[in-house]
Coordinates of all heavy atoms in Angstrom, one line a residue:
T1 N 0.8 -1.2 0.0 CA 0.0 0.0 0.0 C 0.9 1.3 0.0 O 0.5 2.3 0.6 CB -0.9 0.0 1.2 OG1 -0.1 0.1 2.4 CG2 -1.8 -1.3 1.3
S2 N 2.0 1.2 -0.6 CA 3.0 2.3 -0.6 C 2.5 3.5 -1.4 O 1.5 3.4 -2.2 CB 4.3 1.8 -1.3 OG 4.1 1.5 -2.6
T3 N 3.1 4.6 -1.2 CA 2.8 5.8 -2.0 C 3.0 5.6 -3.5 O 2.2 6.1 -4.3 CB 3.7 7.0 -1.5 OG1 3.5 7.2 -0.1 CG2 3.4 8.3 -2.2
K4 N 4.0 4.9 -3.8 CA 4.3 4.5 -5.2 C 3.1 3.7 -5.8 O 2.7 4.0 -7.0 CB 5.6 3.8 -5.3 CG 6.0 3.5 -6.8 CD 7.4 2.7 -6.8 CE 7.8 2.4 -8.2 NZ 9.1 1.7 -8.3
K5 N 2.6 2.8 -5.1 CA 1.5 2.0 -5.5 C 0.3 2.8 -5.7 O -0.5 2.7 -6.7 CB 1.2 0.8 -4.5 CG 0.1 -0.1 -4.9 CD 0.5 -1.2 -5.8 CE 1.3 -2.2 -5.1 NZ 1.7 -3.3 -6.0
L6 N 0.1 3.7 -4.7 CA -1.1 4.6 -4.8 C -1.1 5.5 -6.0 O -2.1 5.7 -6.7 CB -1.1 5.4 -3.5 CG -2.4 6.3 -3.2 CD1 -3.6 5.4 -3.1 CD2 -2.2 7.1 -2.0
K7 N 0.1 6.1 -6.3 CA 0.2 7.0 -7.4 C 0.0 6.3 -8.7 O -0.7 6.8 -9.6 CB 1.6 7.6 -7.4 CG 1.8 8.6 -8.6 CD 3.2 9.2 -8.6 CE 3.4 10.2 -9.7 NZ 3.0 9.7 -11.0
K8 N 0.5 5.0 -8.8 CA 0.3 4.3 -10.0 C -1.1 3.9 -10.2 O -1.7 4.0 -11.4 CB 1.1 3.0 -10.0 CG 1.2 2.2 -11.3 CD 2.3 1.3 -11.3 CE 2.5 0.7 -12.7 NZ 3.7 -0.2 -12.9
G9 N -1.9 3.7 -9.2 CA -3.3 3.4 -9.2 C -4.1 4.6 -9.7 O -5.0 4.5 -10.5
V10 N -3.7 5.7 -9.2 CA -4.4 7.0 -9.5 C -4.2 7.2 -11.0 O -5.2 7.6 -11.8 CB -3.9 8.2 -8.7 CG1 -4.5 9.5 -9.2 CG2 -4.3 8.0 -7.2
D11 N -3.0 7.0 -11.5 CA -2.7 7.2 -12.9 C -3.5 6.2 -13.8 O -4.1 6.6 -14.8 CB -1.2 7.1 -13.2 CG -0.4 8.2 -12.7 OD1 -1.0 9.3 -12.4 OD2 0.8 8.0 -12.5
F12 N -3.6 5.0 -13.3 CA -4.4 4.0 -14.1 C -5.8 4.4 -14.1 O -6.5 4.2 -15.1 CB -4.2 2.6 -13.4 CG -4.9 1.5 -14.1 CD1 -4.3 0.8 -15.2 CD2 -6.2 1.1 -13.7 CE1 -5.0 -0.2 -15.9 CE2 -6.9 0.1 -14.4 CZ -6.3 -0.5 -15.5
Y13 N -6.3 4.9 -13.0 CA -7.7 5.3 -13.0 C -8.0 6.4 -13.9 O -9.0 6.4 -14.7 CB -8.1 5.7 -11.5 CG -9.5 6.3 -11.5 CD1 -10.7 5.5 -11.7 CD2 -9.7 7.7 -11.3 CE1 -11.9 6.1 -11.7 CE2 -11.0 8.3 -11.3 CZ -12.1 7.5 -11.5 OH -13.3 8.0 -11.5
K14 N -7.1 7.4 -14.0 CA -7.3 8.5 -14.9 C -7.4 8.1 -16.3 O -8.1 8.6 -17.1 CB -6.2 9.5 -14.7 CG -6.2 10.3 -13.4 CD -5.0 11.2 -13.2 CE -5.1 12.0 -11.9 NZ -3.9 12.9 -11.7
N15 N -6.6 7.0 -16.7 CA -6.6 6.5 -18.1 C -7.7 5.6 -18.4 O -7.9 5.3 -19.6 CB -5.2 5.8 -18.3 CG -4.1 6.8 -18.3 OD1 -4.2 8.0 -18.7 ND2 -2.9 6.3 -17.8
N16 N -8.4 5.1 -17.3 CA -9.5 4.1 -17.6 C -10.7 4.5 -16.8 O -11.6 3.6 -16.5 CB -9.0 2.7 -17.1 CG -7.8 2.2 -17.9 OD1 -8.0 1.6 -19.0 ND2 -6.6 2.5 -17.4
S17 N -10.9 5.8 -16.5 CA -12.0 6.2 -15.6 C -13.4 5.9 -16.2 O -14.3 5.5 -15.4 CB -11.9 7.7 -15.3 OG -12.0 8.4 -16.5
T18 N -13.6 6.0 -17.5 CA -14.9 5.7 -18.1 C -15.3 4.3 -17.8 O -16.4 4.0 -17.4 CB -14.9 6.0 -19.6 OG1 -14.6 7.4 -19.8 CG2 -16.3 5.7 -20.2
L19 N -14.4 3.3 -18.1 CA -14.7 1.9 -17.9 C -14.9 1.6 -16.4 O -15.9 1.0 -16.1 CB -13.5 1.1 -18.4 CG -13.5 -0.4 -18.0 CD1 -14.6 -1.2 -18.6 CD2 -12.1 -1.0 -18.3
I20 N -14.0 2.1 -15.6 CA -14.1 1.8 -14.1 C -15.3 2.3 -13.5 O -16.0 1.6 -12.7 CB -12.8 2.3 -13.4 CG1 -11.6 1.5 -14.0 CG2 -12.9 2.1 -11.9 CD1 -10.2 2.1 -13.5
N21 N -15.7 3.5 -13.8 CA -17.0 4.1 -13.3 C -18.2 3.4 -13.8 O -19.2 3.2 -13.0 CB -17.1 5.6 -13.7 CG -16.0 6.5 -13.0 OD1 -15.5 6.1 -11.9 ND2 -15.7 7.6 -13.6
L22 N -18.2 2.9 -15.0 CA -19.3 2.2 -15.5 C -19.5 0.8 -14.9 O -20.6 0.4 -14.5 CB -19.2 2.0 -17.1 CG -20.3 1.4 -17.8 CD1 -21.6 2.2 -17.6 CD2 -20.0 1.2 -19.3
V23 N -18.3 0.2 -14.7 CA -18.4 -1.1 -14.0 C -18.8 -1.0 -12.5 O -19.6 -1.8 -12.0 CB -16.9 -1.8 -14.0 CG1 -16.9 -2.9 -13.0 CG2 -16.6 -2.2 -15.4
E24 N -18.4 0.1 -11.9 CA -18.8 0.3 -10.5 C -20.4 0.5 -10.5 O -21.1 -0.1 -9.6 CB -18.2 1.6 -9.9 CG -18.7 1.9 -8.5 CD -18.0 3.2 -8.0 OE1 -17.9 4.2 -8.8 OE2 -17.7 3.3 -6.8
K25 N -20.9 1.3 -11.4 CA -22.3 1.5 -11.5 C -23.1 0.2 -11.8 O -24.2 0.0 -11.2 CB -22.6 2.6 -12.6 CG -24.1 2.9 -12.7 CD -24.3 3.9 -13.9 CE -25.8 4.2 -14.1 NZ -26.0 5.2 -15.2
N26 N -22.6 -0.6 -12.7 CA -23.4 -1.8 -13.1 C -23.3 -2.9 -12.1 O -24.2 -3.7 -12.1 CB -22.8 -2.2 -14.5 CG -23.2 -1.3 -15.6 OD1 -24.1 -0.5 -15.5 ND2 -22.5 -1.4 -16.7
F27 N -22.2 -3.0 -11.4 CA -22.1 -4.1 -10.5 C -22.1 -3.8 -9.0 O -22.1 -4.7 -8.1 CB -20.7 -4.9 -10.8 CG -20.7 -5.5 -12.2 CD1 -20.3 -4.8 -13.3 CD2 -21.2 -6.8 -12.4 CE1 -20.2 -5.4 -14.5 CE2 -21.2 -7.4 -13.6 CZ -20.7 -6.7 -14.7
G28 N -22.2 -2.5 -8.6 CA -22.3 -2.2 -7.2 C -21.0 -2.5 -6.4 O -21.1 -2.8 -5.2

């Protein structure tokens, strides 16, 4: 759960936010 891991995850989310938000909505 390092700062490096956190930053990489935030970057991944920014590049895939449309997909990730839609999956969150559809599957709860």
Side-chain angles (χ1 to χ4, degrees):
T1 65
S2 64
T3 301
K4 184 177 179 181
K5 180 86 73 179
L6 189 62
K7 182 182 183 306
K8 189 161 187 173
V10 171
D11 290 341
F12 182 85
Y13 172 71
K14 288 177 180 176
N15 293 328
N16 297 273
S17 59
T18 300
L19 166 68
I20 294 171
N21 290 337
L22 186 61
V23 166
E24 178 183 38
K25 179 181 177 183
N26 289 340
F27 294 92

